[in-house]
Amino acid sequence: MAKILVVDDSPTQLANMVRICESQGHQIVTATNGMEGVELARSEKPDLILMDVVMPELNGFQATRKLTRDPETQHIPVVLVTTKDQDTDKVWGERQGAAGYIVKPPQESELVAKIRELLG
């Protein structure tokens, strides 16, 4: 299937999203902060990125902005998966270039539907 990069500093959240993605047959690459996520996106060229927002070093909004403005990675859809549930957060995420926004903890059906939608 597809290669998905999951970026989250919470081991529990990371494991949950990896489990959901693997159950759909996807290959998973993981990162535990935004900076590592940006570096892995450039080297691994995933088909999709699931990105937490609240992380050390580089937050998910900053990492998404870097990825969506870099010609090397701008074609990769980024879905923000975060505890930040305010409408202003969603709007800000879209302004950074996010292709989707899911509030944690992600419902498996919602996450799977968004992945399918973005991967075609």
Side-chain angles (χ1 to χ4, degrees):
M1 297 285 294
K3 182 190 291 187
I4 299 176
L5 171 59
V6 181
V7 186
D8 200 312
D9 62 326
S10 161
T12 304
Q13 293 292 338
L14 191 66
N16 184 44
M17 287 190 284
V18 166
R19 179 190 59 76
I20 292 169
C21 294
E22 285 181 342
S23 75
Q24 300 299 306
H26 299 297
Q27 177 187 349
I28 308 303
V29 179
T30 62
T32 56
N33 64 61
M35 188 61 75
E36 184 184 4
V38 169
E39 291 167 6
L40 279 172
R42 288 182 178 138
S43 65
E44 293 287 331
K45 302 289 191 279
D47 300 298
L48 178 74
I49 300 169
L50 300 177
M51 177 83 69
D52 184 20
V53 170
V54 182
M55 294 183 291
E57 292 189 48
L58 193 68
N59 72 41
F61 289 139
Q62 294 166 320
T64 299
R65 185 170 51 245
K66 276 184 175 289
L67 292 167
T68 58
R69 285 164 176 68
D70 182 341
E72 201 176 324
T73 56
Q74 67 185 4
H75 66 283
I76 305 169
V78 178
V79 177
L80 294 171
V81 184
T82 179
T83 56
K84 296 178 78 58
D85 62 354
Q86 300 298 308
D87 287 338
T88 52
D89 297 319
K90 292 177 186 178
V91 168
W92 186 245
E94 289 169 4
R95 287 189 179 162
Q96 306 319 301
Y101 197 100
I102 296 176
V103 176
K104 284 182 183 177
Q107 297 297 312
E108 187 164 344
S109 58
E110 181 184 13
L111 187 59
V112 168
K114 180 54 77 176
I115 290 168
R116 285 186 181 149
E117 172 193 327
L118 293 171
L119 294 176

